[in-house]
Amino acid sequence: TVLFRFIDTSAYPGCRARTVEHGFPHQPSALGYSPCLRLMAIGTRSGAIKLYGAPGVEFMGLHEENNTVVQIHFIPDQVTLLSAVMSLFACSWRESLCFPRSPPSATQITAVLPHSSREVLYLGTESGNIFVVELPSFRVLEDRTITPEAVLQRVPEDYCNRRSCELVEALREHPKNPDQILIGYSRGLIFLWDLQNNKVTHLFLGTQQLENLHWQRDGSKFVSCHYDGSYTQWPVSKCLTCLMSLKFAYGLLQCTPLTLFLLRLPYIIFQGGMPRASYGDRHSISVVHGSQQTAFDFTSRVIDFFIIFSSEPTAEFDDPSAMVVLAEEELVVIDLKTAGWPAVHPPYLASLHCSAITCSHHVSNIPLKLWERIISAGSKQNIHYSNMVWQLPWPIDGGTSIAPDPPQRDLLLTGHEDGTVRFWDASGVCLHLLYKLSTVRVFLTDADPNDNMNTLGEDEWPPLRKVGTFDPYSDDPRLGIQKIYLCKYSGYLAVAGTAGQVLVMELNDEDAEHVVDHAEADLLQDQEGYRWKGHEKLKTRDGPVRFEAGFQPFVLVQCQPPAVVTSLALHSEWKLVAFGTSHGFGLFDHQQKRLVFVKCTLHPSDQLALEGPLSRVKSLKKSLRQSFRRIRRSRVSSRKRRGGSGNASEVQEANAKFDQDTLQEMELAPVQRKIEARSAEDSFTGFVRTLYFADTFLRDSSRHCPSLWAGTNGGTVYAFCLRVPPAERRMDEPVRAEQAKEIQLMHRAPVVGILVLDGHSTPLPEPLEVAHDLSKSPDMQGSHQLLVVSEEQFKVFTLPKVSSKLKLKLTALEGCRVRKVTVANFSSCKTDDYSENDLAVLTNLGDIQIISLPFLKLQIRYPCIRKEDVSGIASCVFTKYGQGFYLISPSEFERFSLSTKWLVEPRCIVDMPEVTSNNHVRPKSVCLTPDSCALQGLGVIGKTELLLCEGTVESSSSYVGTSGSNSRSDTHGHPTGISFQTFRNVL
């Protein structure tokens, strides 16, 4: 076993990293619940254990090896958690816990029973032995071991000859008499064992393969459920009871295994038991109450579930209030108190990946009016959910969150493969779904927008009802959302998709029916020799379309060819939206619903951009050929540099001058390196990476004007002057655009960011930000500067002349490239009078660098994401105030903070009732913090490793991750806490 302790790590500031996880644990494998603490624990295949209580109460620990957690048990009335983990080493033994009676191959733990005395633990194994282990020392009590031989002495000879015991399938303590435990073997033999006298008191001779056992509340009977889908109720009245009549939940047909049967009177709840021929692939849990019976059909495999019920010992019935089901891809809670048993909208553990996430967008400091309108629209979508969370406390409410209220309202928008956009409350620790937007209604697809997963068919048997939101299948992959842009001041939303569709929406508080205007943007501009080989555009609906309250599209811009939209920008003050693909970019006036211009950026030799995302394999030969050409060119250029005639003295003189220049360059910029130029023939040079609106000096230094900037994959920056009519003539005069500048970076590195700084070297404010008195007006007197960020370097130009002023090469590490860049505002945590704007940069090595503006000085560098985690780096999104999100799994976001002021972290305590154990008294209030877990090795049992997690009295502290040389990550690369070796030394 391994001992976990939640301890205060504030003494180790060097190992601190501000992180918190949002979403649903990846690959869950075990579930546990403590009725005393009202805490829920989830174990995963990577060895993580996550504890959840009331909203904001979260803990996390990680085992030393990435082994699957197979069982989780809370020690009764203690802040102690026991987990069984599948060990990677079947013969791993330690002196503190060994079993001399059985070989290692036969000692895999199959059943665990923490006794209510909190002094011992009963472990059933696949050899049929039941070992008694003392807590917390984990010393095996050899004299109390229950062997199959001791049981078989009481079994009739004919039954003994016919069946062997095999493995221990279930261990259950008598609900009224803690001196008796019920033991069930795989082949059907069940017996009641007297702990005081070490003998069998009752035998139950079953003939079906046993799956599980469950006591009735008063202890007068228990239920056994079997592999063939049957169950039997056994009265505890006779010393020897033969098998009674079997009962089947759904008829006598061959059924799926009945893995769990609960008698929570007046409810009967069981898992499985469905007719195998017709419903063998369903993941169901059935609930029966009187004449009402429903089989809840889950969209992914059920891992485990538990019932929240009255724990009063004097109560006549269990009186269940909720059923909590852990499925493989989501957590589903059913309200058993409300008529119809509706699902509950959980405040955390959101299924972010109900449809695969394709993009994300963060908006900070949402105005209250917009926030309330989004919540109102979302509440109208949740009418089929239970109102338990609002009328009654969330049923899993252990612990107390002591975190301060969020200082502002933040939104995280996620785009999904099925064409939906989900709005998440990202203000605090719990990521909560506020509203879901679907773009499907605009297009003609096979999906029915009126589908309801919670419909119940009349006269259907079994009475199946779909529950859960996980639906990974998309009817049309072209619906996938690729880019999102929300203006928090005007309420305009722009959404772009996989098939070149760009939708502009506005917020409406009521349902509406209207026609969506269409416009096409031909980015190839009828150029000869080009033919699109990819997917077709989506077909749109004719006539009026009915939309529910919320964001409603009013115009659709369709790019031709219908390639993936790679960049998007919205200027709500000018009523303009810009979009880019691998073929070019365009500008659309969504007030006049008119296309302003399009610009083709496709290179004549770039045929890959015309083949679509599904046809790139066909051009593998071309890609290899281009790679070899680049290698050949670099070799030729290096030979030319080394070649030439001259005597030895000239060579030595040239070498000396070269060494001197190199030394000076290293002294001036010790982290810079030589950048190798890229060829114009490289594929996807016309790929538009970034779009940017700015009111700046583009033509001359005396007049500023609106402008649009676009950066491509080939290192080209296009600048267009825009003439936007004043408000009084906005609908009468068209918006005009004219290309004013074109910048070609020398090394043709892809442009990933464009930024204009005003006369005070401050980034220009967002649209309408000055009008809402949330930002100072930009300085339009001094000269402006243009910052162009490529994958290779940062370069500052003066405007309007566009002359090079300053540059910074990225790093000395070979192969380093900029992947994401944004402007972040860093405020002082000690005073409100100081803040500064810096660049937050993510590289392909997973590092985050903070670079000052406008002098481009590297401030600090953090290792954040594993460089092998390509999806994590690609999914990263920065916030305006120095935080960030990235996917550590398909269902989880890791949230990190680069600012000492803007922190989101779980701060919570858990109170424990006063209990006495091992002749000492634990305090009534135990403060558990979401800090890291320390490991102390105690032993391994064959193939299964036991771990004991125990709480100690500590003060509250912030969530701690890892960084630096002592850090350790799980299989997904996210930090797991203070390094285990560090804490072993401390302990």
Side-chain angles (χ1 to χ4, degrees), residues 856-867:
L856 301 182
K857 298 295 184 182
L858 179 63
Q859 303 294 314
I860 198 168
R861 175 181 163 192
Y862 297 107
C864 183
I865 311 174
R866 291 183 303 116
K867 63 181 180 180

Side-chain angles (χ1 to χ4, degrees), residues 435-452:
Y435 165 67
K436 183 181 79 171
L437 165 68
S438 177
T439 62
V440 178
R441 292 180 181 270
V442 181
F443 307 101
L444 289 171
T445 64
D446 296 333
D448 183 3
N450 297 317
D451 282 346
N452 186 359

Side-chain angles (χ1 to χ4, degrees), residues 192 207 213-214 232 254 256 348 351 411 414 446-447 454 486 520 535 664 689 700 803-804 848 866 898 956:
L192 194 62
T207 59
L213 298 172
H214 178 72
T232 300
Q254 287 190 349
T256 58
Y348 48 68
S351 181
L411 274 179
T414 55
D446 296 333
N454 293 291
L486 172 66
E520 284 203 357
H535 49 248
Q664 291 178 356
R689 295 285 292 266
D700 55 59
S803 57
S804 180
I848 292 181
R866 291 183 303 116
L898 307 171
S956 177

